[in-house]
Amino acid sequence: MIASFFGSIPAMILLTGILVGVSGALLGSFLVLRGNAMLTDAISHSIVFGIIVVWLLTGQMSGPVQVLGAALTGVLTVVLSELLARSRLVKMDAAIGLVFPALFAAGVLLISIYARDVHIDVETVLLGEIGFVWLNTVMLWGQQVPIAVATLGAVLVVNLAFVLVLWKELKLTTFDPGLAAALGFLPGVLHYAVLTLTSVTAVAAFDAVGAILFIAFVIVPPATAYLLTRRLWGVVVLAVALSVAACVAGYVLALRWNVSIAGMMASMTGVWFALALLFAPGHGLVAQALGQRSKRLDHDCRALVAHLFTHQDTPAMAEENTLRALVDHLRWPEPRARAAILRAHDRDLIERRAGLLTLRPKGNAEAEAIFGRIEPER
């Protein structure tokens, strides 16, 4: 069964995507909550410089030295960006935009000058080819396992252990770095630890899925989860679940439509975000629109109560306390007037008596509160 699993091409493609997605979501949740999400983009591009520099120094295209060198380049990107930002001559977003293109361009130039005959493909670094991960294998415990699966599995174990062991410290440094520093938790060290692991994960992922899919997994699922919950553990769990769902749905749709697997997986993370942006309870655009409509109805309801109270028991009551008066005198469209009347009736503020709209006791109290006479009933 184990041999058939690792020998299954679809299983290995899906497993590779899931390993990248889960690893990225674990770290990305903290980066997104700290407002450092775009550092992932910078790291993912600047590691090209680290890859070529390590090759020039050691001649190695893979292995721990290559991973370490590329990861240190990612950290270097962050350090240089923060140094520029601290100069107060440029803001942090501009600093990031200055540093990582420079390192990426330097890496591309070094490749074109010194590594023309070496298999270092910039396009592969950015886009990867998850559909071919099953071709490059290594023997582990008597099984042929894709190198990408073995590498990413090890990275996931490290990332998961890091998050679980330092959960309280990460939570405190994410939401209150000042308090964390006062308690001796070294928020700066933890921040760079997260970024170092992000760099290592990016290096491990780029050959299989490319930088673009890695960036999508690190940023989009946590951002989507944040629209759905405000609890840290909920954000992390939801981000992981959304990453897995994007991998499965992306693979199925990529086969159905004969398109890029990695591209469709990344697109599905965007689909989840769009759905959450529209329909998230309390924070989605639909919920906000409904909330605004409810507020507008409440405002119209108060205006209606004030209008009826002004003309109640006056000679003009027969003319003013009607639906037609709201349309003609208040310039309300008829659907708006009917909606206000219905809302006031549901709140037991008004009633219809002898064809006229009249205030009930609760409506009178509401009107007197509006005009500042007494406090409204609770």
Side-chain angles (χ1 to χ4, degrees):
M1 181 180 295
I2 296 176
S4 61
F5 173 74
F6 285 108
S8 170
I9 295 175
M12 292 302 96
I13 294 174
L14 269 176
L15 182 58
T16 301
I18 289 172
L19 289 173
V20 176
V22 175
S23 297
L26 284 172
L27 301 175
S29 297
F30 298 98
L31 293 174
V32 168
L33 291 174
R34 286 182 64 113
N36 299 136
M38 288 311 298
L39 286 176
T40 306
D41 188 24
I43 291 171
S44 299
H45 284 78
S46 62
I47 60 174
V48 175
F49 178 77
I51 291 170
I52 183 60
V53 168
V54 171
W55 177 80
L56 289 172
L57 295 176
T58 66
Q60 297 187 30
M61 285 294 299
S62 59
V65 176
Q66 183 63 261
V67 172
L68 178 61
L72 289 177
T73 307
V75 177
L76 175 64
T77 303
V78 178
V79 172
L80 292 177
S81 299
E82 291 185 346
L83 287 175
L84 274 177
R86 288 175 184 174
S87 71
R88 297 184 180 180
L89 298 176
V90 294
K91 294 184 179 180
M92 187 61 182
D93 57 343
I96 295 172
L98 288 168
V99 172
F100 92 77
L103 291 177
F104 180 67
V108 173
L109 288 175
L110 289 175
I111 290 173
S112 62
I113 294 173
Y114 297 107
R116 294 180 180 179
D117 299 325
V118 180
H119 181 61
I120 303 178
D121 188 354
V122 175
E123 182 177 351
T124 301
V125 171
L126 293 178
L127 302 179
E129 187 42 75
I130 195 173
F132 295 150
V133 294
W134 55 276
L135 293 174
N136 195 6
T137 62
V138 64
M139 184 67 69
L140 287 179
W141 300 294
Q143 302 292 334
Q144 288 291 337
V145 179
I147 292 178
V149 170
T151 304
L152 290 168
V155 169
L156 174 58
V157 170
V158 173
N159 290 352
L160 183 60
F162 175 77
V163 170
L164 291 178
V165 171
L166 298 175
W167 176 261
K168 292 182 179 179
E169 290 80 1
L170 288 169
K171 182 177 182 180
L172 185 58
T173 56
T174 296
F175 295 106
D176 196 342
L179 177 60
L183 295 175
F185 286 157
L186 302 176
V189 174
L190 280 177
H191 177 56
Y192 278 107
V194 172
L195 293 173
T196 300
L197 288 177
T198 303
S199 299
V200 171
T201 307
V203 176
F206 82 84
D207 191 38
V209 303
I212 303 303
L213 182 57
F214 171 72
I215 294 169
F217 278 135
V218 173
I219 298 176
V220 185
T224 305
Y226 185 65
L227 293 175
L228 301 173
T229 180
R230 287 296 187 264
R231 294 182 177 273
L232 178 59
W233 67 267
V235 170
V236 175
V237 171
L238 271 176
V240 168
L242 290 168
S243 296
V244 174
C247 290
V248 175
Y251 180 72
V252 172
L253 292 176
L255 293 183
R256 182 181 181 87
W257 294 334
N258 192 27
V259 295
S260 166
I261 297 174
M264 184 53 67
M265 288 180 176
S267 298
M268 290 309 300
T269 64
V271 171
W272 303 156
F273 180 79
L275 291 174
L277 185 66
L278 288 173
F279 303 112
H283 302 286
L285 296 180
V286 173
Q288 290 184 23
L290 291 176
Q292 290 296 325
R293 181 177 182 274
S294 180
K295 289 180 180 179
R296 186 173 63 250
L297 273 176
D298 288 339
H299 179 270
D300 288 350
C301 184
R302 289 170 60 85
L304 170 61
V305 168
H307 176 80
L308 298 182
F309 184 79
T310 301
H311 298 286
Q312 188 163 268
D313 299 327
T314 68
M317 179 177 178
E319 180 182 355
E320 295 290 346
N321 289 21
T322 63
L323 171 64
R324 180 51 51 191
L326 300 179
V327 176
D328 294 340
H329 297 170
L330 297 184
R331 306 295 184 184
W332 285 359
E334 187 167 331
R336 179 180 177 182
R338 291 186 180 278
I341 292 172
L342 181 60
R343 171 62 64 93
H345 185 272
D346 290 341
R347 292 176 56 187
D348 199 31
L349 298 176
I350 67 171
E351 63 182 350
R352 189 181 296 273
R353 183 185 302 168
L356 297 178
L357 299 174
T358 59
L359 293 175
R360 294 180 61 82
K362 188 176 179 181
N364 280 311
E366 179 79 12
E368 290 173 344
I370 293 173
F371 288 102
R373 297 183 184 178
I374 62 171
E375 292 294 327
E377 291 183 2
R378 301 294 183 185

